[in-house]
Amino acid sequence: MRRLPPLTAIEAVVQVARLGSVKAAAQELALSAPALSRRVQALERFIGRPLFDRRHQAMSLNADGERLIAQIAPAIDMLADAVEALTSATDVQRLRLGVLPLFASQRLFPRLPELRTRHPELHLDIDTAGHGITRLGEGLDAAIVLARDVEPALYARRLDRNRILVIGSKAMVDGPDPITEPKQLRTVTALVHRDMPDTFTAWCLAAGVGEIEPLAVDHFDSGALMLEAAAQGLGVAFMHESHFEDAHDARLARLFDIRVESPYSYWFVCRPRALMQRPVKLFHEWLIGALEAPAG
């Protein structure tokens, strides 16, 4: 049998590829940075060529590294599936799902009782850490992500189309100095989600108001916290219409009656072979049907 490199070295390379730095990967694997670097170097010596381009603290896969990760990812998936099958009860189907917290609280969890009734054997491990696409097969079976589009190598199903709203506090509409015209956005802070970085620019261009410079732009990785910041009067949030409507927060108000289509959508994504796994198949089929019906 042909000799294989240590699994720990492969695991180290996969984590660095996913997280982009030795420091972050070392924290994930509970190792020191030098120890993790040695594992990466061990695999590079085994193969006989470097797998990363190294720049200061960051590391990105080179062409050989990308080719290797693409080829070993299915094998890693199969190994994880085999371990899961042996360590889980035979009557439990488990799905490791990456999902953004706001989508989970507004649109997924209100429907989960129906999923449990239909498929009591299906259990979800919920992961809200982000970077769902890059972690498919490396801790996640499937993910619900917010993106413009998804790379063709993955299975992707668009879950919605949306509009961008400018969302502020009620006081911005009903207070003594209401914001009634887009040019007044120069006087406030714009709140923008890191997964939707172009919402502010897209809204301004589509609304025909040019390149307005807000007082500042604050970035969030949590939609729920963006809505809370807007409700507290800390700025105006550029978010989806569904985020506003599903919040049911009387403290919030929509600014301006301007309809701007969003370049971003929610997507269900997984690796193509993952659709052959029963937990992924059950959840995928249920999710598509559930989002076409109102939440119970």
Side-chain angles (χ1 to χ4, degrees):
M1 180 176 178
R2 196 181 335 181
R3 189 166 62 94
L4 295 174
L7 183 58
T8 54
I10 296 174
E11 181 184 39
V13 168
V14 168
Q15 288 295 338
V16 174
R18 175 170 69 84
L19 298 174
S21 78
V22 168
K23 181 179 179 181
Q27 291 175 343
E28 183 79 9
L29 296 175
L31 296 170
S32 67
L36 187 131
S37 294
R38 287 194 292 271
R39 292 187 181 185
V40 172
Q41 292 164 6
L43 184 59
E44 290 179 321
R45 286 195 300 271
F46 186 93
I47 294 173
R49 63 187 70 184
L51 301 172
F52 293 92
D53 292 326
R54 293 165 167 83
R55 300 184 182 90
H56 303 293
Q57 298 297 319
M59 295 177 65
S60 58
L61 289 170
N62 59 25
D64 289 328
E66 289 180 353
R67 186 161 57 250
L68 176 67
I69 292 296
Q71 291 175 348
I72 67 175
I76 293 174
D77 284 348
M78 293 177 66
L79 178 61
D81 292 345
V83 172
E84 178 74 12
L86 288 175
T87 57
S88 297
T90 57
D91 58 344
V92 170
Q93 300 289 322
R94 188 165 297 280
L95 173 71
R96 300 165 298 178
L97 178 69
V99 60
L100 293 171
L102 192 59
F103 184 95
S105 63
Q106 289 188 339
R107 302 178 66 183
L108 180 60
F109 274 71
R111 296 173 166 89
L112 284 184
E114 193 274 335
L115 174 63
R116 178 57 54 85
T117 299
R118 181 177 299 185
H119 298 296
E121 76 282 14
L122 181 59
H123 290 259
L124 306 182
D125 288 338
I126 299 292
D127 189 319
T128 61
H131 306 290
I133 288 180
T134 60
R135 298 169 61 205
L136 291 173
E138 301 160 16
L140 297 179
D141 301 310
I144 297 172
V145 300
L146 191 57
R148 285 178 173 268
D149 47 37
V150 179
E151 60 184 270
L154 297 172
Y155 170 83
R157 173 70 178 260
R158 191 192 299 269
L159 301 178
D160 71 353
R161 294 185 184 274
N162 235 302
R163 299 184 181 91
I164 303 171
L165 298 189
V166 185
I167 305 167
S169 67
K170 278 282 190 181
M172 290 183 175
V173 175
D174 301 332
D177 297 307
I179 295 179
T180 58
E181 299 181 11
K183 65 182 182 181
Q184 292 175 274
L185 293 176
R186 296 187 179 95
T187 66
V188 298
T189 298
L191 311 178
V192 176
H193 198 288
R194 294 190 186 278
D195 286 338
M196 303 169 64
D198 299 328
T199 47
F200 175 76
T201 302
W203 186 89
C204 289
L205 292 176
V209 294
E211 297 182 3
I212 295 176
E213 289 290 336
L215 188 65
V217 178
D218 291 352
H219 293 89
F220 288 68
D221 65 359
S222 166
L225 291 181
M226 282 180 66
L227 291 172
E228 183 62 27
Q232 296 290 347
L234 302 180
V236 295
F238 288 78
M239 299 181 71
H240 279 173
E241 186 173 37
S242 63
H243 294 147
F244 172 70
E245 292 179 348
D246 292 342
H248 303 295
D249 192 332
R251 300 173 300 165
L252 295 172
R254 170 180 177 170
L255 279 61
F256 319 122
D257 187 20
I258 300 175
R259 302 168 70 87
V260 174
E261 296 299 318
S262 174
Y264 299 96
S265 294
Y266 281 106
W267 301 78
F268 174 91
V269 295
C270 65
R271 289 184 173 165
R273 72 169 291 276
L275 282 175
M276 296 184 291
Q277 300 171 10
R278 181 168 170 76
V280 177
K281 183 176 179 358
L282 290 177
F283 181 80
H284 170 260
E285 293 176 351
W286 168 81
L287 179 67
I288 301 308
L291 291 181
E292 294 174 352

